Amino acid sequence: MAPIANGRLLFNSVPGDLPEPGKTTVYDVSETIDPDTVALDGGFFIKLLEISVDSYMKGRMHATSHESIIPSFVLGQPLHSYGIGIVLRSENPHVKVGDHLHGPLEHAEYSVKKDLTGSGILQNPLKLPWSTFLGVLGRPVCKGKTAFMAWKQFSRPKQGETVFVTTGAGSVGSLVIQFAKMDGLKVIASAGSDEKVRYMKELGADVAFNYKAVKTTDVLRKEGPIDIFWDNVGGATLDAALEAANINARFIECGMTTEYTNGGDIPVRKLLQIIIRSITLHGFFVDRLVPKWNEDFMKIVPPLLTSGELKYREEEFDGLEVVGDALLALLKGKNIGKVVVHVAKD
Amino acid sequence: MAPIANGRLLFNSVPGDLPEPGKTTVYDVSETIDPDTVALDGGFFIKLLEISVDSYMKGRMHATSHESIIPSFVLGQPLHSYGIGIVLRSENPHVKVGDHLHGPLEHAEYSVKKDLTGSGILQNPLKLPWSTFLGVLGRPVCKGKTAFMAWKQFSRPKQGETVFVTTGAGSVGSLVIQFAKMDGLKVIASAGSDEKVRYMKELGADVAFNYKAVKTTDVLRKEGPIDIFWDNVGGATLDAALEAANINARFIECGMTTEYTNGGDIPVRKLLQIIIRSITLHGFFVDRLVPKWNEDFMKIVPPLLTSGELKYREEEFDGLEVVGDALLALLKGKNIGKVVVHVAKD
């Protein structure tokens, strides 16, 4: 086989508040690769099938000199995120041609991986769409586990309590709404469009509102106080939740979208409330919860999906060249459900 | 007995960043009271002996229209705070003349209390100074229990970990330093004067610094990362701690002095770190910890005091008329140890 073009999505420049597809990321086809002869050095060669797009990726688009625990993408190099690929060649005894690999993958149509670090081979006896494994059934960083495990670990729900879920039409929030309803809670949920409000009501939210149309503080004053806050936003929304919290409230700090899209260091001004109201704020990374909760997750969630009791949506994009657009849409709140990019078929 | 003047410390006007003794609080001697004939209506008549002065009192000096879970002092009425008084007359069968009462008391040299709500009768077989019961051995809001119980509840210390204690020469911080050393931790402690730095070193702090002379961020960068943060300050100091935190750090949010002295709503900008580093922030009120920890406290702490293993200081003021000055000194960080005002002798 002759060398073929290997499309890659490169980190090209540090964005301001929002990424600009074509500028901060560029799709590059200048590299060629020969699938038959590229050196594997004991590793394996994969074709990328599916890519997960997540808001935290914006947080990795900084200058490499920037101090952070989360390393930046490297300028001039491909982005990477959670993905699924199929193995085309292998020199690794644990990896066979035709295996489907999930793990952090480079945004390149073809790539060589040295070993299975951080990755695994997927089993898919039910022939579910591969992208399912990026979302509701996915590995850490992915959405089903984030929602399920952090809810189990931190929410301590009591029947009749009230939870406020932000980005409730998103890949995580939509599941949190449903888990909260299963636990007998009153659910207040917010999102940024009327279409999303309708979706959140379908999922069972008792109160669903468009935060662009009504004030979060007004809704919480009327419908609160809140015992649990699922935070995907930070900033002024977190302030509103702090001022609407009940004594002993639990705040589950899953994400802070305002941080990613407004240059960071967004002020939170009402933190004194955590003392006044004995609030606990739980920051977490889901991978640190997996050892404790994985067995429960695998037992409980897949049957809920197959029975249809747990609803789940994907926002689908096609082609590696639109990853930048998919991320921008996500950060602008255009999606309903998990954002996935279908890169290629098996 | 003829009527006598009853000195009272009145809340006179809402302060700005700092209270102004003589303006925001005034000592008033215009009221008279006749100890022999004042109506008790089934209650009891007490002479005030000791008053606790605490930074949160500034937080109660707002206009009564101000929305808050902590009610404001009432303009034109006496302040109140934790204190000790002796009973001079009683119509309550549970309260005898000569009893020493502890509880929230009006800042009036003489007052009538209706019942024992929130209060109790003190036993003092060892004839310790009465002010001890405002501080290290005191009831909720007071210092020994705050330090001991929140440390037990939230710190989860592991030998060799590092804790950063703010206001380490204060009534709570000075005890936290010592509890942390007993648990085998490296202790970094900050305060606002060289004299306090010397005191914190005496208490066992491994690293003690004057935050007015060196930058907190510099010290934490060199001596961190920190596994536990004892926060009495909030604001920029909390930001510094967030950026110096280890994975899975525990932040014990005891107070936010910057909120009380800078008009409130002080921004915290680095909260994204709680997600990145899986930090938990625990806000608390000590009275909610008492049921769980009181028995341990009474078993462990008094022997440590009598043996001298646990060191404790008071900053003493004399006379109800200087309560405003005592609070100002506390908020300006002039004190070492627990601030008490001796109002009268038995």
Side-chain angles (χ1 to χ4, degrees), chain A residues 265 270 278-279 281 283 288, chain B residues 265 268 270 278-279 281 283 288:
Chain A
D265 290 358
K270 301 296 181 184
S278 296
I279 300 168
L281 263 70
R288 299 185 191 121
Chain B
D265 291 356
V268 173
K270 301 295 181 185
S278 296
I279 300 168
L281 264 68
R288 299 184 192 124

Side-chain angles (χ1 to χ4, degrees), chain A residues 81-330:
Chain A
S81 66
Y82 216 79
I84 292 164
I86 183 168
V87 176
L88 300 185
R89 282 173 55 212
S90 175
E91 294 177 356
N92 182 316
H94 305 293
V95 179
K96 297 188 306 291
V97 170
D99 278 351
H100 286 78
L101 194 93
H102 64 148
L105 294 180
E106 278 199 345
H107 289 202
E109 283 156 6
Y110 299 92
S111 57
V112 174
K113 271 186 85 81
K114 218 176 139 180
D115 55 43
L116 281 170
T117 304
S119 309
I121 307 295
L122 281 173
Q123 306 302 326
N124 186 8
L126 298 173
K127 305 287 173 206
L128 292 163
W130 290 109
S131 57
T132 315
F133 295 90
L134 296 181
V136 66
L137 286 179
R139 291 250 308 176
V141 183
C142 294
K143 305 311 169 179
K145 292 193 177 176
T146 297
F148 179 87
M149 294 180 182
W151 183 257
K152 287 286 181 196
Q153 177 78 22
F154 302 121
S155 65
R156 293 181 276 130
K158 287 190 213 74
Q159 182 117 14
E161 284 191 329
T162 299
V163 60
F164 173 38
V165 182
T166 54
T167 62
S171 55
V172 174
S174 59
L175 296 169
V176 173
I177 289 172
Q178 297 174 80
F179 292 137
K181 287 311 299 176
M182 290 174 194
D183 282 336
L185 271 62
K186 170 178 172 179
V187 175
I188 306 168
S190 67
S193 76
D194 294 342
E195 189 192 353
K196 290 180 181 181
V197 168
R198 280 190 295 277
Y199 180 53
M200 295 189 294
K201 282 185 179 157
E202 275 175 45
L203 297 175
D206 301 281
V207 179
F209 69 98
N210 177 350
Y211 68 84
K212 293 175 182 168
V214 292
K215 273 190 173 178
T216 300
T217 47
D218 291 343
V219 176
L220 295 183
R221 189 169 295 134
K222 180 158 173 272
E223 303 289 349
I226 59 174
D227 302 288
I228 304 170
F229 176 45
W230 187 281
D231 190 8
N232 268 322
V233 179
T237 306
L238 176 51
D239 277 337
L242 285 164
E243 292 206 297
N246 215 339
I247 305 295
N248 293 324
R250 289 79 71 196
F251 279 37
I252 305 174
E253 297 297 323
C254 178
M256 293 190 177
T257 315
T258 52
E259 290 282 327
Y260 312 137
T261 55
N262 292 282
D265 290 358
I266 302 306
V268 173
R269 296 181 185 278
K270 301 296 181 184
L271 267 186
L272 183 60
Q273 298 301 325
I274 72 175
I275 296 176
I276 294 172
R277 299 168 197 249
S278 296
I279 300 168
T280 304
L281 263 70
H282 297 281
F284 73 98
F285 253 19
V286 67
D287 50 1
R288 299 185 191 121
L289 301 176
V290 169
K292 181 168 171 189
W293 292 107
N294 203 49
E295 205 181 316
D296 278 9
F297 176 83
M298 292 312 295
K299 211 181 298 174
I300 295 168
V301 175
L304 291 175
L305 284 173
T306 45
S307 71
E309 286 169 89
L310 194 64
K311 291 176 185 63
Y312 183 72
R313 273 207 214 173
E314 281 179 0
E315 186 85 18
E316 301 169 282
F317 291 79
D318 287 298
L320 199 55
E321 62 275 22
V322 301
V323 162
D325 304 270
L327 178 60
L328 182 61
L330 172 62

